[in-house]
Amino acid sequence: MEGEITDHLGYDRHDAVGRDGGNSRNGHRSKTVLTEVGPVQIDVPRDRDATFEPRIVGKRKRRLSGVDELVISLSAKGLTTGEVAAHLGEVYGADVSRQTISTITDKVIEGMADWQNRPLDPVYPVIFIDAINVKIRDGKVANRPIYVALAVTSEGRRDILGLWAGEAPSVTGAPGGEGAKYWLHVLTEIKNRGVGDVLMVVCDGLTGLPDAISTVWPQTITQTCVVHLLRNSFRYAGRQHYEAIAKALRPVYTAPTEAAATERFLEFCETWGERYPAIVRLWENAWAEFVPFLSFDVEIRKIICTTNAIESVNARIRRAVTARGHFPNEQAALKCVYMAIMSLDPTGTGQRRWSMRWKPALNAFDMAFDGRLSTGRK
């Protein structure tokens, strides 16, 4: 019977007892293991022939897997390595170095590579593309964008397709660092992962992106985010005129047709064009990508005229990024953003709300785009 006894840590006592003359204590050595409830002292049985494998605490392991999951979860919520170390010390009485915490979080990089290259759906009704600015120390600390591509599936679920770090302005010379060549590379990567058709891409006037979209998916409509267009307009206006300008622009983006929107915009130009010509120029440059949503019914308008669908994701990412201050390199920034994304909606409640909210719009998409969405599902 003694040879069948297994202790609470998963070690088979038969080996230790049988090889140590029946005195298992003489064959044990003390070891401290970090667990979710703090450091735990265990007696590790010696095995001269190394013929058994521990079941819970592996050989040469100093912490259980639950500790790694805890560290990754805390990091994903925006805590720095120092804050995670302090938390483990205060709550669990565990002394864990910053280097150990960094090593634990580095484990997600392999999973991030697999996630970034996973196969995608053949068709998406909408893809939202937006940027989060992070500070990266590459010789000197500078703002770099991390682009997030969030798609809505044909079932109405949210699916983040990937993350891409924007190039430094000195590399391409394009405004903001990116141009058509950069976006062609990103979109071709998405297409090579199985995306054969996208009905609409909603973005914020990213340089070169419309040209790249028309090259990769010729039938896709590019839509400028109206909210971003309004925000950019206020940058050129005095604070005392914010309310009046917002009131004057509202008839433009709520017009029933493109012709009506043009008339309302001309009225805006007559009133405000002389005082704020930069606002007029901003709307004129974005007009081709602004007007497409005006030709659709209200169900589609409500969904695709803004990037609100991605703003909740961006808010979570910004929280994690802001806590870090700046990153030593691009890989560290991507790792932080990836962990924040993986911690989204742990209960699945958000996905269920998305599906309910998108049902009317998906039916409208299928009718407006002549069944391309249904065809792609098959």
Side-chain angles (χ1 to χ4, degrees), residues 158-177:
R158 178 180 61 197
D159 188 10
I160 298 177
L161 307 185
L163 302 170
W164 294 267
E167 299 175 3
S170 59
V171 175
T172 63

Side-chain angles (χ1 to χ4, degrees), residues 99-129:
Q99 181 58 47
T100 298
I101 293 170
S102 181
T103 301
I104 293 172
T105 56
D106 281 344
K107 292 181 178 179
V108 306
I109 294 177
E110 183 178 346
M112 181 174 68
D114 294 338
W115 172 80
Q116 185 80 14
N117 294 292
R118 74 194 188 280
L120 302 175
D121 292 351
V123 62
Y124 290 104
V126 184
I127 293 179
F128 298 89
I129 298 178

Side-chain angles (χ1 to χ4, degrees), residues 2-3 12-28 45-53:
E2 187 177 12
D12 190 344
R13 293 179 182 173
H14 174 76
D15 294 307
V17 172
R19 291 172 175 80
D20 287 309
N23 188 355
S24 61
R25 288 189 178 181
N26 293 335
H28 282 228
R46 295 183 182 276
D47 179 17
R48 294 173 183 172
D49 299 328
T51 57
F52 77 96
E53 288 291 334

Side-chain angles (χ1 to χ4, degrees), residues 210-230:
D211 293 336
I213 292 171
S214 62
T215 300
V216 177
W217 298 298
Q219 292 181 290
T220 300
I221 293 176
T222 303
Q223 172 66 47
T224 291
C225 170
V226 177
V227 169
H228 281 81
L229 196 56
L230 289 171

Side-chain angles (χ1 to χ4, degrees), residues 118 120-121 123-129 148-154 156-162 190 195 198 200 309-310 313 351 354 358:
R118 74 194 188 280
L120 302 175
D121 292 351
V123 62
Y124 290 104
V126 184
I127 293 179
F128 298 89
I129 298 178
V148 181
L150 183 151
V152 178
T153 69
S154 56
R157 294 181 294 103
R158 178 180 61 197
D159 188 10
I160 298 177
L161 307 185
I190 294 175
V195 182
V198 180
M200 299 191 76
I310 203 172
V313 176
Q351 288 285 26
W354 267 67
W358 272 85

